[in-house]
Amino acid sequence: MPERTEHALLYIKYVDDALAEQGVAAVEGAISGISLRILARALPDGRTSVAVSLYRRVHRMRASGKAFHYWTHEKLTSMARTKKDLVVLREIDRRVGKSFTRHVFSGIMVESWIHGLSGTLQQWVESNPQARRLEGPKPEGVDSAVDQAIAAIREHIGKLPNWNDRFPLLAEDWQYRPASAYLPYLDAHDHAQVAKNLFGVRAYRRPLAREVERLDINTLSWFAMFRGLVPVDWLIDAMRTTETTSGHSLMERPLTSLQQRGIRSILRRTPQPVLRRILKEPVHQARRTLADAADCTAHRLAVTRDLDLLPEIIAARGQRRVRGSRDLEHLVRDLPAIERWHDSRGRTAQRVIQEEIYGLREMEDYNRVIRLLPEGTAQVADWNLWKNETFRVQALSLIEDRRRELMAARDRERYEREEARRLERIARQAERHQWALQTAALLDGREAAPGLNLVVAQDAETLSRWGAMLNNCIGAYAGELELDVFAAVCEADGRVRLNLQITQSHGVEQILGKNNRDAVRELGEAAQQVVDGLVAMEVRFHLDALGMDGLRLPQRTH
């Protein structure tokens, strides 16, 4: 490949040595230098490109404590004239790892970004008066040097093209669209030529020109993806059933170049019967679905999908079962992932730095642990000592022993707490049991009201029988026998009228009749006599006891 020759149109470089010495010791990421460079590159075909970038000298500190610095730039901007006599402006953002490309035309101030970079340089020089000049003019001559460089750029790039002259079929507002949308209209004076540019001369049909004139250009860019993948008659049928989408919100967000490459990679591996089903779908639906699938396959750095397996997956599933773009997206997402790492040297350096950071954290953990030990038990480590393999193994063993001692102590404390809770629970249950026995002996067989007696349940069978008689759930409380008191209000013939649950902490919590009816509905006025009799026996009632509607608690006298 022929080499490219380049020469500098402008090179300005300032550094602050005093700031560098202070920044290394005090501030991580200190900037001690700045540089503005404008290069003109002569390409092998005779064209010229111009690149503009602003560099900064950044200081960093390794985990080992050793300082280093490097020159870096956040954005790189270039301008060049293409083979089609258009001018392309490209910006590469290193922070996000993305590039942005657009065409520029006459009437646009393309030099504003250069003035912005020179303004950033001058602000840094003004804020660092001790900075010394290594290359380029003095600070007061920067503006004139930049103006001369811009004039040289105009000579190298030439006159910017006129939009109306190069795209006579499009309105002026289309120049801000992505290039993939309007480039087929370049130098085309009728829609027949646009159709040939989109779908190829061999595939051209007269109906194509009519559909190209009818439809929105973003919709056409979607159909252009099927060029060479399906018969042109299928495309014409799909265009005829597609309405113009100039007002559709989705069409206002065209596909990015990365999404277009991903979609074409998917479509090229898809059988034609499946492609025909996708063409029958609404355009906005298929675009959105396949754009989502392309987002997980067209990443330029990290994880992508092995699309070469897509034809085998479709064949194994069956073409008839891939009913549209949604099924195709699911198949793409289920493809095995592959990793493609670029810049192996950068990855190696990053791994080394991460290992040093991890080692520094281990050393700090070790020094923090030994502060809690008796003085003289272990030696405080610095970075040089920590890099000694023998010392590091002994130190990590000490940390592990200390961790086990702390875990044993925590386990012992947890066991003691659980044992104390268990003994306290047993004591409370013993107290409740004693109270239940005394209360049962006090209430069993006593008269609650004229013709009504109290009977205390002694076993689970009694509770079950009461539950069957009154159709309630008192039989489910068998586990609380001898901890709570369960009594029944019975008539002289043994018929059960009410069930009561009495607890040590709240007293009577439930006093219910058949089908869980309130006591008044079950016994009428006799229910109040039962309550008065229980209060006379010094039985307490819960404020929210169930079944107490319509009843009042008499005031107890002391």
Side-chain angles (χ1 to χ4, degrees):
M1 179 181 293
E3 295 183 359
R4 296 184 303 180
T5 59
E6 62 183 26
H7 65 279
L9 301 180
L10 179 64
Y11 189 29
I12 306 175
K13 189 175 184 180
Y14 290 87
V15 295
D16 191 338
D17 298 329
L19 182 63
E21 296 176 358
Q22 297 175 2
V24 170
V27 181
E28 168 74 6
I31 299 175
S32 64
I34 194 167
S35 172
L36 176 63
R37 185 171 61 177
I38 302 178
L39 293 179
R41 296 189 178 98
L43 302 179
D45 56 3
R47 294 179 293 116
T48 302
S49 68
V50 178
V52 183
S53 56
L54 185 71
Y55 290 84
R56 291 180 175 85
R57 188 168 77 165
V58 183
H59 292 263
R60 297 291 184 188
M61 188 80 69
R62 298 186 188 277
S64 60
K66 184 178 179 181
F68 69 100
H69 70 271
Y70 57 93
W71 288 88
T72 183
H73 62 275
E74 295 180 356
K75 287 187 178 181
L76 175 64
T77 308
S78 64
M79 184 188 300
R81 185 172 290 274
T82 67
K83 294 181 179 180
K84 296 181 179 180
D85 202 23
L86 297 177
V87 179
V88 174
L89 183 66
R90 184 183 184 191
E91 295 182 6
I92 302 176
D93 195 335
R94 293 182 67 254
R95 293 173 298 180
V96 297
K98 292 184 178 181
S99 62
F100 307 90
T101 304
R102 63 186 179 93
H103 291 98
V104 291
F105 299 92
S106 59
I108 301 177
M109 295 297 295
V110 297
E111 299 89 357
S112 59
W113 46 277
I114 302 179
H115 287 294
L117 296 178
S118 64
T120 303
L121 182 141
Q122 289 179 313
Q123 290 179 2
W124 186 89
V125 173
E126 292 175 358
S127 60
N128 298 273
Q130 297 181 356
R132 61 188 178 93
R133 176 171 55 91
L134 295 182
E135 297 285 346
K138 295 181 180 180
E140 57 271 13
V142 171
D143 289 337
S144 61
V146 170
D147 292 338
Q148 294 177 5
I150 291 176
I153 291 175
R154 291 173 178 171
E155 293 180 1
H156 286 289
I157 299 299
K159 185 179 179 181
L160 296 180
N162 185 278
W163 173 265
N164 292 332
D165 294 340
R166 303 303 303 273
F167 299 94
L169 295 179
L170 298 180
E172 297 212 8
D173 58 343
W174 284 106
Q175 59 182 295
Y176 300 104
R177 296 285 181 172
S180 60
Y182 56 73
L183 276 184
Y185 290 80
L186 180 64
D187 297 329
H189 295 275
D190 54 19
H191 289 88
Q193 184 61 41
V194 177
K196 294 176 183 179
N197 295 337
L198 279 170
F199 303 105
V201 177
R202 294 184 179 180
Y204 172 71
R205 302 287 190 277
R206 285 187 178 181
L208 275 179
R210 293 194 297 269
E211 300 304 328
V212 168
E213 185 176 4
R214 180 178 66 89
L215 294 180
D216 181 80
I217 67 173
N218 282 316
T219 307
L220 291 176
S221 66
W222 162 247
F223 284 114
M225 289 188 180
F226 292 89
R227 173 184 175 182
L229 300 175
V230 297
V232 68
D233 296 332
W234 293 9
L235 291 171
I236 295 175
D237 293 341
M239 290 181 183
R240 287 173 177 171
T241 58
T242 302
E243 298 179 357
T244 179
T245 53
S246 57
H248 199 282
S249 61
L250 183 63
M251 295 298 106
E252 297 176 1
R253 299 193 304 272
L255 297 171
T256 63
S257 59
L258 202 62
Q259 289 175 331
Q260 290 179 3
R261 290 197 300 269
I263 292 176
R264 287 198 70 88
S265 298
I266 295 172
L267 296 181
R268 284 173 179 169
R269 294 165 173 83
T270 305
Q272 284 200 2
V274 178
L275 295 179
R276 188 168 193 176
R277 298 187 193 108
I278 295 176
L279 283 173
K280 291 181 179 179
E281 296 181 4
V283 174
H284 65 277
Q285 174 183 328
R287 279 170 56 103
R288 180 182 62 224
T289 304
L290 290 183
D292 292 343
D295 288 337
C296 71
T297 63
H299 197 286
R300 68 184 187 91
L301 289 180
V303 177
T304 60
R305 305 291 172 178
D306 192 357
L307 291 177
D308 293 336
L309 297 178
L310 184 59
E312 300 179 13
I313 299 297
I314 294 177
R317 183 181 180 90
Q319 292 184 10
R320 294 184 179 180
R321 299 185 63 186
V322 183
R323 297 177 295 272
S325 58
R326 180 61 64 187
D327 292 339
L328 184 61
E329 180 201 6
H330 291 165
L331 292 180
V332 171
R333 291 186 178 277
D334 292 339
L335 290 174
I338 56 177
E339 294 185 357
R340 296 175 181 172
W341 297 108
H342 296 267
D343 191 10
S344 58
R345 291 180 58 188
R347 298 295 303 176
T348 303
Q350 183 179 2
R351 184 176 66 253
V352 171
I353 293 176
Q354 289 177 350
E355 290 176 355
E356 289 188 352
I357 293 174
Y358 180 72
L360 182 62
R361 290 175 180 172
E362 284 186 334
M363 184 187 72
E364 292 174 350
D365 291 340
Y366 166 76
N367 289 333
R368 184 166 53 251
V369 168
I370 64 175
R371 292 192 188 100
L372 304 176
L373 300 178
E375 186 175 357
T377 304
Q379 180 182 358
V380 178
D382 56 12
W383 181 250
N384 292 329
L385 183 59
W386 189 256
K387 288 190 293 185
N388 188 333
E389 183 69 20
T390 304
F391 177 82
R392 188 168 67 254
V393 171
Q394 295 177 355
L396 294 177
S397 177
L398 177 63
I399 293 177
E400 182 65 19
D401 294 342
R402 177 64 176 170
R403 186 183 66 84
R404 290 176 180 174
E405 292 177 2
L406 294 176
M407 289 182 62
R410 286 195 293 268
D411 292 342
R412 186 167 55 252
E413 292 177 357
R414 183 170 60 252
Y415 172 77
E416 292 175 355
R417 289 195 302 269
E418 292 177 355
E419 184 65 16
R421 294 193 190 100
R422 187 181 69 85
L423 295 177
E424 182 181 359
R425 186 167 59 253
I426 292 174
R428 287 199 302 268
Q429 289 184 352
E431 182 182 355
R432 288 178 60 190
H433 176 68
Q434 187 65 27
W435 170 86
L437 293 179
Q438 295 176 358
T439 305
L442 174 66
L443 299 180
D444 193 19
R446 297 284 296 273
E447 183 181 24
L452 299 174
N453 297 325
L454 291 174
V455 178
V456 176
Q458 303 295 334
D459 50 34
E461 184 180 354
T462 303
L463 289 180
S464 179
R465 187 175 68 255
W466 290 353
M469 295 174 64
L470 297 186
N471 194 24
N472 59 25
C473 59
I474 193 172
Y477 291 87
E480 301 297 323
L481 276 174
E482 298 187 354
L483 297 176
D484 295 338
V485 175
F486 297 93
V489 177
C490 302
E491 294 181 346
D493 57 356
R495 180 187 175 190
V496 178
R497 302 300 303 275
L498 296 175
N499 284 147
L500 291 85
Q501 180 189 10
I502 309 173
T503 62
Q504 182 185 15
S505 57
H506 299 105
V508 176
E509 291 192 352
Q510 300 185 53
I511 176 169
L512 299 170
K514 190 172 184 179
N515 297 323
N516 287 331
R517 291 184 297 191
D518 296 335
V520 172
R521 294 179 59 191
E522 184 67 29
L523 293 180
E525 296 180 358
Q528 184 63 49
Q529 298 176 3
V530 172
V531 172
D532 295 342
L534 290 172
V535 173
M537 299 179 206
E538 298 185 352
V539 175
R540 296 181 297 113
F541 280 78
H542 193 275
L543 295 178
D544 297 324
L546 299 178
M548 291 291 292
D549 290 349
L551 298 176
R552 66 181 185 280
L553 294 176
Q555 299 293 330
R556 298 175 58 184
T557 58
H558 299 281

